Amino acid sequence: MRWPSSLRERLALAALLVTAISLAALAFGFNVVLSRQLRSGADDLLHTRAAVSAGNIDINPDGSLTLGGPPEERPISSATWIYEGRTAIERSSGDRDQQRTADALAGSGERTAQTREPEAVRFYALPLLLGDRQVGTVISSIGLDPYTRVEKVALFSSVAAALLGWRAEAFETAATQAGMVVAAYRSLA
């Protein structure tokens, strides 16, 4: 490949490069914003689940907890753990890593945690307080697989769109140059 020799060719190449860089920056920015929005949505869902579950728990004067109603009537999500102190009084049906993560969050204040792939799960610990003393913890969790899939599809789509846009710009530049050659040839004839 030869380096463009004319000013027109160099300008066309510069325009092509600026367009490619702009498309890449737009794709990157879009994916960063989408990732943050998905994380925020997952965190909002975790907070809501924990708050709904906490609303169904009575804290007794001695600091013990009473779960309201029979288990089948409680609005407690299946992805929720409830701890009195550091002792689980209701557990989700998560795997061993999830149980360990929930156990580690119990009694540790308001926090989040996350397990790693292949089945990433995000956790939120909501402290149950009697005065200023933490007497229990509600821990909610959410699987991140759907969020991860959306991020991957969006990344693939934005890269594809950027490449297609770049290819379209390259085609337009080539067509413009071909048109100039034809115009120059006609002016000679």
Side-chain angles (χ1 to χ4, degrees):
M1 180 177 163
R2 67 176 183 83
W3 184 253
S5 57
S6 73
L7 177 61
R8 185 172 288 157
E9 288 176 344
R10 287 187 294 229
L11 286 173
L13 180 61
L16 182 65
L17 289 174
V18 167
T19 301
I21 292 168
S22 298
L23 287 172
L26 284 172
F28 177 77
F30 169 77
N31 284 290
V32 167
V33 169
L34 177 66
S35 180
R36 287 184 182 160
Q37 290 288 32
L38 289 172
R39 178 180 291 267
S40 175
D43 286 345
D44 289 347
L45 182 58
L46 286 171
H47 289 236
T48 300
R49 283 182 180 173
V52 167
S53 297
N56 198 43
I57 299 170
D58 293 323
I59 301 175
N60 301 314
D62 65 351
S64 63
L65 305 178
T66 305
L67 303 179
E72 62 275 359
E73 293 179 8
R74 292 185 202 138
I76 295 174
S77 168
S78 61
T80 301
W81 290 258
I82 300 172
Y83 290 82
E84 187 174 310
R86 295 191 54 83
T87 304
I89 57 175
E90 190 159 313
R91 282 190 177 276
S92 175
S93 59
D95 66 21
R96 190 176 357 170
D97 286 341
Q98 293 172 16
Q99 299 297 341
R100 276 198 296 255
T101 302
D103 289 344
L105 289 171
S108 62
E110 185 175 18
R111 292 183 36 202
T112 59
Q114 186 170 315
T115 61
R116 296 181 186 260
E117 299 287 342
E119 291 183 30
V121 176
R122 190 156 174 79
F123 295 84
Y124 170 66
L126 176 67
L128 299 173
L129 303 173
L130 180 62
D132 60 351
R133 184 177 65 121
Q134 183 172 350
V135 294
T137 311
V138 175
I139 300 171
S140 59
S141 68
I142 188 168
L144 297 177
D145 287 345
Y147 297 93
T148 303
R149 270 187 252 122
V150 168
E151 285 179 341
K152 287 178 182 176
V153 167
L155 178 62
F156 174 77
S157 299
S158 60
V159 167
L163 288 175
L164 289 174
W166 179 77
R167 296 295 291 169
E169 177 70 23
F171 177 76
E172 183 181 323
T173 301
T176 301
Q177 287 177 347
M180 288 185 276
V181 168
V182 168
Y185 176 75
R186 285 187 181 157
S187 69
L188 293 176

